[in-house]
Amino acid sequence: MAVCCDLEVDVNGQETFMVDKKIITSYSGRLSKLFGKSVGIKKNLKVIFHDFPGGAEGFELMLRFCYNGRIHITPSNISLLHSAAQFMEMNKSASEKHNLLEQTEKSLEEIKYWTWQELLIALKQCQDFLLIANSAGVLGRCLDSLVGRLALTSGSSPCASTSSPDSSSVRFSSDTRSTESLKNSFTRSNWWFEDLLILSPKLVEMVTKSMASRNIDHVIISKFLLFYHQSKSSAATADEKCKIVETIVDMLYTLDQSSVSCKSLFGLLRVSLSLNLSKSSRSKLESMIGYQMDQATLDNLLVPSPHGTNYLYDVNLVLRFLKAFIQRGGFQVSLMPMQKVASLMDLYMAEVAPDPCLKPSKFLALAKALPDSARESQDKMYRAIDLYFEVHAGLSEEDKIKICCALNYEKLSAEACLHLSQNAKFPSNSAVHALISQQFKVKSLLHTTNNYKFENDPPCSFNKTEKKGKEDEANEQIILYAGKPDLSVDNEKLRAHLQVMQCRVMELEKVCQKMQTQMAKIMKSKVSRHSNARSLPKLCS
């Protein structure tokens, strides 16, 4: 058959082909429609394709089929051929006997018999023309097959559902059998990590979503994502790094929050500081860190402030972490994690307090970020505030009063209250508040002590108790002498009263501790007597 090269085809600006218009049109519905209107035109025509799948390589493969009527389809070229057939509309309507689309469809039905490497080759080829491959359906089939195989292997691993996000390597025991077992199970769960490094971030995103939909363990998925980031970022440009980090963060955000360790999230944060990460991805990363704030350390929080700010550390970032922690996905935070974060914040406040550029409003925001119930004692917060006042000696009285409003004086120890009363850096009314709170504590302790003695002392010692009660009442009157202090009272008198109270509080704490022990013994003996009385028969009257 004579071949006439009467059609010029420019493929994506890469290469120009001279082809037989009649032959190629007999297989392509797209060109058949295009040239249907140009009947009778004898001069050579030119067609320009801007988005041909696979470029010149894909077009050349398609031409071989057109000129020979057949082509050997393999996993290494099926993505190109199938996408080209879709693009050129090489279906039954164009050619009844030989149509490329039908042949590639039949080959794709054999995908379950492909080897793992053949599947990876087909996927790698798809990412070169992702949109067309996806719309053609070949990408979806390859992904389904790949993830299906991963689901089978991860399901067979004994560590799949019990793995920990913190375990980046296997912990081996001294027993040989358990060591080998751990090695094998760890290998089974992550053997595919390196193989998927050939995929682009977009394909990794698609694979991750597919794995999650197949209920593959989220810990394994998160480990793969972190492995991918670490492996691909080393040789990547700044823009490529940014794309990789955004993909990893976006995918981790869709997984169970406990599937990735707090340490790993802070590692991503450190990397992202030098990148132009999108606002959405940065917000997701901060939200994930905030969710696990109770697992963070002080070193994690000491993030340098952004370029252009005077602060030593990025306080605004920590405040956003705290906001995400309190919200915690809409659920109420339990007491123990809240107390851990409160203890961490006391350390952080003491660390940032010496920063001369830290504004009072930011320091106050840190002090008030958590609810009052998060701290059993506020002595550490008091020390942080004391340090802040010492460094910021020029602070106005108004700013000092605002910061002191964050203190709950009732949660200060007697020692801290005594120190505060002698602390010239604090506003004068703070000493008064501390004194009043201690007086309430003493009065409450005295009241509890007197009630307990009256209820539990034996009758023979009633006179002694009454006498002692009068002595305690006298002491109470002496201690409560300054119950309504005048703000003009000299600081020396306030300190004297506070010292007396401090000694009395310490004595009362010891008394209460002894009483609690005695009460436990009495209750125990009462229960014992009650059980014995029930077991004895009634005497005849």
Side-chain angles (χ1 to χ4, degrees):
M1 180 178 68
V3 178
C4 176
C5 298
D6 56 353
L7 178 64
E8 184 179 356
V9 182
D10 184 338
V11 181
N12 301 353
Q14 299 174 351
E15 195 171 340
T16 301
F17 294 84
M18 298 300 298
V19 300
D20 190 313
K21 184 180 76 171
K22 185 177 179 180
I23 293 176
I24 196 171
T25 304
S26 64
Y27 288 101
S28 171
R30 183 168 188 160
L31 291 180
S32 180
K33 287 183 230 176
L34 179 65
F35 297 131
K37 301 175 183 179
S38 59
V39 179
I41 299 178
K42 295 182 179 180
K43 64 178 181 178
N44 291 349
L45 299 173
K46 182 176 182 178
V47 176
I48 300 174
F49 291 123
H50 295 290
D51 51 358
F52 194 92
E57 182 186 357
F59 189 80
E60 187 174 346
L61 280 173
M62 184 218 48
L63 278 182
R64 288 181 190 173
F65 173 80
C66 293
Y67 282 107
N68 299 318
R70 62 184 181 276
I71 190 170
H72 181 53
I73 301 174
T74 65
S76 60
N77 64 20
I78 192 169
S79 300
L80 279 173
L81 288 172
H82 188 76
S83 300
Q86 285 272 21
F87 184 84
M88 297 294 285
E89 300 177 15
M90 301 173 75
N91 46 34
K92 274 187 178 182
S93 60
S95 177
E96 190 73 27
K97 286 185 177 181
H98 305 288
N99 69 84
L100 184 57
L101 191 60
E102 184 178 329
Q103 291 187 29
T104 53
E105 285 283 355
K106 285 181 180 179
S107 296
L108 280 173
E109 290 175 3
E110 306 296 316
I111 195 170
K112 57 186 175 183
Y113 301 113
W114 291 3
T115 65
W116 174 256
Q117 288 301 324
E118 287 174 339
L119 200 55
L120 290 176
I121 290 170
L123 268 174
K124 189 175 185 301
Q125 201 173 62
C126 283
Q127 67 188 11
D128 295 333
F129 44 95
L130 198 58
L131 292 176
I132 299 173
N134 193 21
S135 62
V138 63
L139 177 60
R141 294 190 193 186
C142 290
L143 283 175
D144 284 344
S145 181
L146 180 134
V147 175
R149 298 183 194 192
L150 293 181
L152 287 174
T153 56
S154 67
S156 65
S157 171
C159 293
S161 60
T162 58
S163 49
S164 166
D166 290 310
S167 57
S168 57
S169 60
V170 181
R171 297 178 181 177
F172 302 110
S173 70
S174 57
D175 182 67
T176 308
R177 290 184 181 180
S178 61
T179 300
E180 291 302 320
S181 174
L182 281 171
K183 280 181 178 179
N184 293 334
S185 63
F186 184 73
T187 303
R188 281 200 298 271
S189 66
N190 73 346
W191 60 269
W192 46 274
F193 283 14
E194 288 191 11
D195 289 340
L196 298 196
L197 292 179
I198 63 171
L199 303 183
S200 65
K202 183 61 181 176
L203 267 186
V204 166
E205 180 182 336
M206 297 174 75
V207 168
T208 302
K209 289 178 179 178
S210 183
M211 285 193 290
S213 68
R214 295 279 190 118
N215 295 323
I216 293 178
D217 187 8
H218 286 195
V219 174
I220 294 177
I221 299 176
S222 66
K223 283 183 177 180
F224 162 66
L225 291 171
L226 294 170
F227 177 83
Y228 182 88
H229 164 256
Q230 186 178 6
S231 303
K232 297 285 282 187
S233 295
S234 56
T237 63
D239 289 340
E240 289 171 342
K241 283 182 182 178
C242 188
K243 182 61 180 175
I244 292 170
V245 173
E246 285 179 350
T247 300
I248 301 306
V249 169
D250 292 347
M251 290 300 98
L252 288 174
Y253 190 74
T254 64
L255 304 178
D256 183 3
Q257 296 290 297
S258 59
S259 65
V260 57
S261 69
C262 188
K263 181 181 178 182
S264 298
L265 292 174
F266 272 106
L268 285 172
L269 178 69
R270 297 279 180 180
V271 172
S272 70
L273 293 177
S274 59
L275 301 174
N276 189 24
L277 217 61
S278 70
K279 189 176 180 180
S280 173
S281 296
R282 196 174 294 278
S283 177
K284 288 176 182 177
L285 180 57
E286 291 173 3
S287 177
M288 286 189 287
I289 291 174
Y291 187 89
Q292 300 189 46
M293 190 70 167
D294 56 313
Q295 299 177 29
T297 64
L298 179 60
D299 287 339
N300 293 149
L301 299 184
L302 298 178
V303 179
S305 61
H307 181 70
T309 57
N310 295 326
Y311 302 154
L312 188 60
Y313 299 111
D314 196 345
V315 176
N316 290 325
L317 178 65
V318 174
L319 288 172
R320 292 196 295 272
F321 289 159
L322 290 172
K323 184 179 179 182
F325 172 74
I326 293 171
Q327 292 175 349
R328 198 119 173 188
F331 298 101
Q332 187 174 3
V333 183
S334 57
L335 184 59
M336 188 174 291
M338 187 72 80
Q339 288 176 340
K340 283 184 179 179
V341 175
S343 178
L344 177 62
M345 288 314 300
D346 290 340
L347 295 173
Y348 183 76
M349 288 172 65
E351 193 70 29
V352 300
D355 183 358
C357 297
L358 185 60
K359 294 180 180 178
S361 59
K362 294 300 177 185
F363 190 79
L364 178 60
L366 289 172
K368 285 189 169 184
L370 296 174
D372 184 66
S373 59
R375 293 178 174 89
E376 291 182 356
S377 169
Q378 295 204 357
D379 285 11
K380 290 183 179 178
M381 186 193 283
Y382 163 70
R383 294 190 194 104
I385 294 174
D386 181 39
L387 182 57
Y388 185 77
F389 286 170
E390 183 179 346
V391 174
H392 300 78
L395 213 59
S396 67
E397 193 77 2
E398 183 182 356
D399 285 334
K400 287 185 177 181
I401 291 172
K402 285 181 180 178
I403 292 174
C404 287
C405 285
L407 274 176
N408 184 345
Y409 296 95
E410 294 180 5
K411 291 191 174 183
L412 291 177
S413 66
E415 292 85 350
C417 283
L418 179 61
H419 187 275
L420 193 155
S421 69
Q422 299 170 348
N423 197 335
K425 297 188 288 290
F426 277 69
S428 57
N429 66 339
S430 295
V432 175
H433 287 309
L435 178 61
I436 293 172
S437 69
Q438 288 302 303
Q439 287 176 337
F440 281 133
K441 277 186 184 179
V442 173
K443 187 174 181 180
S444 176
L445 282 170
L446 286 169
H447 183 68
T448 305
T449 304
N450 290 335
N451 287 343
Y452 174 78
K453 287 190 174 183
F454 181 77
E455 291 173 4
N456 295 285
D457 280 0
C460 61
S461 63
F462 180 79
N463 292 334
K464 292 181 181 178
T465 305
E466 187 178 6
K467 184 178 178 182
K468 183 66 177 175
K470 288 180 179 179
E471 291 177 1
D472 288 344
E473 187 178 353
N475 288 336
E476 181 183 358
Q477 289 174 357
I478 293 170
I479 294 168
L480 298 180
Y481 175 76
K484 294 182 179 179
D486 188 355
L487 291 178
S488 61
V489 174
D490 189 80
N491 283 338
E492 291 299 326
K493 290 184 179 181
L494 288 175
R495 281 195 288 270
H497 282 304
L498 199 55
Q499 285 172 346
V500 172
M501 285 193 301
Q502 182 187 9
C503 295
R504 186 60 180 153
V505 166
M506 292 173 69
E507 290 175 6
L508 288 172
E509 285 175 349
K510 291 178 182 178
V511 171
C512 285
Q513 191 174 3
K514 289 179 181 178
M515 287 180 183
Q516 288 172 355
T517 306
Q518 291 173 5
M519 181 179 284
K521 290 179 181 178
I522 291 169
M523 293 301 294
K524 189 175 180 181
S525 63
K526 281 183 179 180
V527 172
S528 177
R529 285 200 302 271
H530 182 62
S531 61
N532 290 336
R534 291 183 61 186
S535 63
L536 291 174
K538 284 188 177 181
L539 294 175
C540 297
S541 55

